[in-house]
Amino acid sequence: GESVGLHLPTLSVQEGDNSIINCAYSNSASDYFIWYKQESGKGPQFIIDIRSNMDKRQGQRVTVLLNKTVKHLSLQIAATQPGDSAVYFCAEGSSYKLIFGSGTRLLVRP
Amino acid sequence: ETGVTQTPRHLVMGMTNKKSLKCEQHLGHNAMYWYKQSAKKPLELMFVYNFKEQTENNSVPSRFSPECPNSSHLFLHLHTLQPEDSALYLCASSQDLGTGANTGELFFGEGSRLTVL
């Protein structure tokens, strides 16, 4: 029979606009959080991480915000490009164990 | 190129077959991992090895048997699998197990797409 896959939320943005991808995490004791990007046919690729004692961290064109009060994590991508089209996963970790979220698909319209 | 190479990229096997997935990392890392990515669930941790020693078995059925002969190589031996085991199996490595200042960033391979008939 036909299998039912995960329903991934999808964010569609215009090329050049900013993207914001959100993630809710579950464990208030997590030490760190990581965003991964997975392009079709490839494994997840590290984008940026943030430790639990921080609330903001910036990278090249990306910013991660952490709100521990509501257990919320976001990834902001500035000036979104076609190459940013992918599935984005947040992951929470303590020690070496990473727990991944189900992901958000980002589609960039030309 | 992430420095983590998985073979084969695609594998089709019957339920009675025995096959193996191979992972090799060229990053000098000490920890290696197997993850399962299926259409129905988020990425699931299966096994963790640190300095060739298994440190985690996340309640994985015994039809999946990992082997880590050295810090650079990791195998996943498959035997009498079920159709629901069809998934993308991802290998990853990290410098260490993510304690202390290291957040445990994982470097993933491109995965082995397994189909069980």
Side-chain angles (χ1 to χ4, degrees), chain B residues 21-78:
Chain B
L21 306 180
K22 179 183 175 182
C23 176
E24 182 175 2
Q25 58 98 357
H26 310 275
L27 302 169
H29 288 169
N30 299 315
M32 296 187 76
Y33 311 73
W34 280 115
Y35 277 85
K36 176 183 179 182
Q37 187 174 36
S38 65
K40 297 184 180 180
K41 295 183 180 180
L43 270 165
E44 299 174 85
L45 178 64
M46 299 176 72
F47 300 103
V48 181
Y49 279 81
N50 189 40
F51 290 99
K52 303 188 303 178
E53 299 299 319
Q54 186 179 119
T55 58
E56 181 81 19
N57 176 337
N58 197 25
S59 302
V60 180
S62 59
R63 57 186 184 269
F64 295 91
S65 175
E67 178 189 0
C68 189
N70 54 62
S71 293
S72 299
H73 293 85
L74 185 64
F75 295 88
L76 188 62
H77 303 301
L78 315 170

Side-chain angles (χ1 to χ4, degrees), chain A residues 3-7 32 34 36 38 41-46 49-51 89 94-102, chain B residues 9 33 35 37 39-43 48 55-56 88 90 97-106 108-110:
Chain A
S3 63
V4 178
L6 276 176
H7 174 66
Y32 56 92
I34 306 181
Y36 283 87
Q38 187 173 22
K42 296 186 177 182
Q45 180 182 7
F46 173 90
D49 60 4
I50 187 168
R51 297 202 68 85
F89 296 95
S94 57
S95 183
Y96 60 85
K97 292 190 179 184
L98 273 181
I99 306 298
F100 284 84
S102 55
Chain B
R9 292 294 310 279
Y33 311 73
Y35 277 85
Q37 187 174 36
K40 297 184 180 180
K41 295 183 180 180
L43 270 165
V48 181
T55 58
E56 181 81 19
L88 181 69
L90 288 159
L97 281 186
T99 56
N102 187 340
T103 59
E105 176 190 344
L106 299 178
F108 284 89
E110 297 195 331

